[in-house]
Amino acid sequence: MILNSARQGNIKLAAKKRYYSDDDHVGKTPSALRRLSRTQQRDYLLYWFHRNFEDPAEKTPHESAEGGYQYIWGGPYDASEELSGEFGDIVSEDLLSKVVKEVQSDGTTDWAPGPAHPDMQHRQEDAEGDEVERSQELPRRWQTQGVIIAPLTVGEAVGKPLGEPAHITPRFPRGIKDSDLRQAGGAIQRETAIWWFILNLEPYDHSRAAARFGESRFGDPFNRAAVQAERILHQEFGSVLPDAMIEELGVILAGDWMWKSPPMQLPLAPPSTAAEAITAIVPVLESLAAAVHDLAPPAAHGRIGHNGPPDECAITEQDREEVLEKIKEAKEAAQSNEAEAASKLATLWRQIKEKLDGLGQWTLDRINDFTSEASKEAGKTVGKWLPHYLALHATTYMLVKAADQIIAVLHQH
């Protein structure tokens, strides 16, 4: 297990500090660093220093009336003191002096804490503490994908709410209301919860989640902080599913996740005229093309339980290429302003839909396979590749559904 140490540019691995360079991402222990040549040691010292310290001109506030830079995050630091304190018993004094001269060659002698310095790490942890807690909060339910507010319909039991959340899945294309999901069997409850989860969350990726320090990462309702599946599922389904089931799903989906951002945009309501439909279909086709493009051919993957998606796919590589070509033609037809655009678009869409019709049920079947295989692992987490892989299919299904509603308007005019 790798743990953060007091300063980065080094970490603790098996209780031993390690140092890194631009070309060494495995790291050297102090004793290994001591055995390197002076030229090699220099690279490690420079890497460590520039990870832990930076020119105050980068981010440190400057107030002329207050005497210059305001080291509100710690400092100023002296390069000689810091390098000697870290490496004084590892490398020679002569090398230390040369590295100090090198880092100060541009005239900078007072240093601010860099992104890996403990002062900045502690400040970032404090600043993120409240935001991370807020990040666990679920966006308003109708902002998440696959959720609608379904009205009470004729013939339903008296006492039901006039409108309540409903989750759209291939099994329930019009949505299954919370009150009905509460009474459904365990298999349907699990597949509904996982379908919603993979539509809205993806494995946490620090490189895409973390914005430049000092900038908000939470500017939209779907923030990018790490969240835990069990907590998010409790917030979405806590009043619907048994606690034991949510805990089980939390184990299956253990680890860090983040909200997809920006969320997949689907039309809130179908257009009312053919002209509006032709305009509305273009961005949906663009999103659909991107989603279909990402559906990897089966030959590129392994099998369930072997750190890869299943050895089958909802669509063959040949069909995928044909669908992408038809989507391109459909988009061109929608943008052509030709008199026959609506008719051509409807014909092309029928051909596209024939190829993608089985996506929804295929994905539900794989979700059920996934939960079954995960249960056999006796509590061990099955890799995140599968939820992510299935999410590509689920997203494609939702886009097909959205496009289908728009194309239906063309048939009415």
Side-chain angles (χ1 to χ4, degrees), residues 132-351:
V132 168
E133 185 171 342
R134 285 201 302 274
S135 79
Q136 302 282 353
E137 297 302 320
L138 187 66
R140 288 176 295 175
R141 299 188 75 183
W142 51 89
Q143 289 180 313
T144 63
Q145 294 301 325
V147 181
I148 60 173
I149 302 300
L152 180 69
T153 57
V154 176
E156 287 193 294
V158 175
K160 274 197 172 185
L162 295 179
E164 61 177 317
H167 290 82
I168 295 173
T169 75
R171 190 183 301 277
F172 302 102
R174 297 179 180 273
I176 178 170
K177 294 181 179 181
D178 280 0
S179 55
D180 295 324
L181 182 59
R182 191 177 294 114
Q183 304 299 321
I188 288 177
Q189 290 177 334
R190 287 185 184 87
E191 74 177 28
T192 302
I194 291 183
W195 177 274
W196 173 86
F197 189 88
I198 64 177
L199 270 181
N200 288 284
L201 291 103
E202 60 187 341
Y204 182 72
D205 182 344
H206 185 272
S207 66
R208 291 190 296 118
R212 177 179 173 184
F213 185 67
E215 297 176 357
S216 173
R217 295 184 298 155
F218 306 96
D220 57 70
F222 293 78
N223 62 69
R224 307 291 279 163
V227 296
Q228 302 301 307
E230 184 175 342
R231 183 167 182 175
I232 294 299
L233 289 169
H234 262 299
Q235 290 172 329
E236 176 67 11
F237 296 100
S239 64
V240 181
L241 304 184
D243 287 346
M245 179 178 293
I246 292 177
E247 291 172 6
E248 172 194 336
L249 294 176
V251 171
I252 292 173
L253 299 167
D256 291 339
W257 299 82
M258 62 186 183
W259 292 101
K260 294 180 181 178
S261 181
M264 178 178 64
Q265 297 298 319
L266 297 176
L268 295 178
S272 56
T273 67
E276 290 177 359
I278 291 175
T279 300
I281 196 65
V282 173
V284 176
L285 288 173
E286 290 174 344
S287 296
L288 181 60
V292 171
H293 179 272
D294 288 341
L295 295 180
H301 302 294
R303 299 169 179 266
I304 290 179
H306 290 80
N307 295 323
D311 60 353
E312 57 186 272
C313 189
I315 183 173
T316 66
E317 180 64 9
Q318 180 179 343
D319 284 349
R320 188 171 72 116
E321 291 178 0
E322 290 180 10
V323 166
L324 288 172
E325 184 60 34
K326 295 295 182 183
I327 291 175
K328 180 181 177 182
E329 293 177 25
K331 181 182 172 184
E332 290 172 352
Q335 295 174 321
S336 67
N337 294 320
E338 296 176 356
E340 294 80 18
S343 175
K344 185 175 181 180
L345 187 56
T347 299
L348 286 167
W349 178 248
R350 185 167 59 252
Q351 296 169 352

Side-chain angles (χ1 to χ4, degrees), residues 171 186-192 194 304 361-375 386 390:
R171 190 183 301 277
I188 288 177
Q189 290 177 334
R190 287 185 184 87
E191 74 177 28
T192 302
I194 291 183
I304 290 179
Q361 188 58 52
W362 183 91
T363 308
L364 284 187
D365 290 343
R366 298 296 79 71
I367 286 175
N368 289 321
D369 290 345
F370 168 64
T371 54
S372 175
E373 290 291 329
S375 297
L386 190 51
L390 294 181

